[in-house]
Amino acid sequence: MAIVINVNGRIAHGTSATIPVLDHGFLYGEGVYEVCRTYHGHPLLFDRHMRRMRNSAGMIALPVPFTDAEALDVVNQTLAAAGLATPATPGHEAYVRLLLTRGVGELSYDAAACSEPSVVVIVRPHAEPEAHIYELGVRVSLVPIVRNHPLSLNPLIKSNNLLNNALAMQHALQHGAFEAVMRNLRGEIAECSQSNLFVVKGGSAFTPPVDAGLLAGITREFLFDVAQEIGVPMAESVMRDEDLLGADEAFLTSTTREVVPIVLVDERRIGAGRPGPVTRALLEGFRRRADLLTAGGGRQQG
Ligand SMILES: Cc1ncc(COP(=O)(O)O)c(C=O)c1O
């Protein structure tokens, strides 16, 4: 099953969808986006993703031209066109990327140059990370590329301008790592190129505070609920290299990857060098709760 792309209501199968060159999303990276994935054919935590999209859009003064219900309709139409609205095979789920750009306008930074935002939905089958990633854990790399300073380009904006993230990830890939861990200008750990970072010490889980300059991940937020449910103490805490390298366990979180154990940071082993019990419990708790929220039709999410 291939990719399906909806551009301003026009649905195209395959990679033929186009966006005008004068769209400021293309010209200047001016736009915001969200990535959801489905469980039982329903986007998990769609309301939270929409809340974040409105927040991101507000931070660049971009009007959001749809209600949450209208956005869900467009997503569902695109899922249906891709044959992914009601997955025939259990576990056959969808990746959904919803993008909103400033739209087409003159070659000018003036926001008034664009009259109408563009709305794009990209849907494709969700590529489940390979099982060994969860069973054995992954190696990440501490990269020299610093996360954008919040006063420069606030990482709280889930922006289509992803050069900072791409450069960090490309550095990690060159070093054979699964993810890039980025610090802020103060040298504190912020987050990864496309996920949030957690460590476990003495049975409690810690993640850098939003003040460190990071994207407030929906999985990160949801995991606080899961942790409370299963009795794992979890808190935000300023984190430096030694906190990561000296952790009992570490893991990263994202919508498409859920909870991935980290067992190596460059050449340094974390804890026992295998996924730890707290990470495993949080992954299981996450999956259980995601399943419960979506199994009955996905309406009771919060
Ligand atoms: C920079 C960054 N941090 C964190 C995340 C994780 O966010 P979420 O859990 O909402 O997928 C992402 C997701 O793409 C990201 O790009």
Side-chain angles (χ1 to χ4, degrees):
M1 213 174 314
I3 197 162
V4 171
I5 305 178
N6 183 336
V7 181
N8 293 323
R10 285 186 311 277
I11 290 182
H13 292 258
T15 53
S16 63
T18 55
I19 193 97
V21 170
L22 291 182
D23 192 302
H24 286 204
F26 174 76
L27 281 174
Y28 308 134
E30 276 200 88
V32 297
Y33 76 105
E34 281 299 321
V35 171
C36 308
R37 63 149 286 196
T38 65
Y39 292 77
H40 302 285
H42 302 284
L44 179 67
L45 303 172
F46 191 75
D47 47 356
R48 296 194 194 195
H49 283 280
M50 289 312 299
R51 186 195 67 212
R52 185 172 64 184
M53 177 167 256
R54 287 181 196 290
N55 190 46
S56 296
M59 290 174 84
I60 63 166
L62 175 62
V64 179
F66 42 66
T67 63
D68 289 9
E70 285 165 348
L72 187 57
D73 271 352
V74 177
V75 165
N76 282 334
Q77 282 161 22
T78 317
L79 282 169
L84 288 164
T86 32
T89 327
H92 195 103
E93 301 289 351
Y95 164 101
V96 180
R97 193 180 186 102
L98 173 62
L99 302 98
L100 179 65
T101 76
R102 186 84 71 196
V104 174
E106 289 299 316
L107 289 163
S108 159
Y109 289 144
D110 187 351
C114 306
S115 54
E116 243 181 286
S118 301
V119 180
V120 176
V121 182
I122 303 173
V123 161
R124 64 160 165 71
H126 167 64
E128 193 66 51
E130 291 175 60
H132 69 83
I133 280 170
Y134 300 102
E135 285 158 13
L136 303 176
V138 298
R139 175 167 170 266
V140 297
S141 185
L142 263 166
V143 299
I145 293 134
V146 169
R147 189 73 176 110
N148 286 330
H149 191 284
L151 293 177
S152 171
L153 176 55
N154 198 329
L156 275 178
I157 308 167
K158 195 165 171 64
S159 143
N160 292 343
N161 191 321
L162 288 163
L163 208 43
N164 183 228
N165 314 55
L167 291 176
M169 187 59 200
Q170 285 155 14
H171 193 284
L173 287 171
Q174 279 158 17
H175 291 80
F178 180 82
E179 243 293 25
V181 179
M182 302 171 84
R183 306 178 186 91
N184 63 20
L185 263 175
R186 293 191 294 263
E188 302 154 3
I189 289 175
E191 62 173 335
C192 303
S193 79
Q194 50 206 301
S195 48
N196 291 112
L197 184 87
F198 286 74
V199 300
V200 177
K201 191 78 184 171
S204 298
F206 301 97
T207 193
V210 169
D211 279 358
L214 51 89
L215 179 74
I218 301 298
T219 318
R220 173 187 184 274
E221 176 187 292
F222 188 57
L223 213 59
F224 273 82
D225 303 344
V226 173
Q228 193 172 27
E229 189 175 281
I230 67 173
V232 170
M234 185 176 277
E236 291 186 337
S237 174
V238 172
M239 207 178 281
R240 294 194 162 263
D241 290 9
E242 54 271 25
D243 300 307
L244 171 60
L245 298 172
D248 300 335
E249 303 176 31
F251 59 89
L252 55 86
T253 63
S254 86
T255 294
T256 52
R257 293 162 165 175
E258 302 174 323
V259 176
V260 174
I262 295 169
V263 293
L264 278 171
V265 177
D266 294 307
E267 312 318 325
R268 299 276 298 265
R269 204 175 67 178
I270 301 300
R274 53 178 183 272
V278 175
T279 306
R280 281 182 190 281
L282 286 166
L283 173 60
E284 274 165 33
F286 173 92
R287 286 183 171 160
R288 203 171 39 243
R289 210 173 154 108
D291 198 57
L292 271 175
L293 286 176
T294 48
R299 255 179 283 281
Q300 71 285 41
Q301 299 187 31

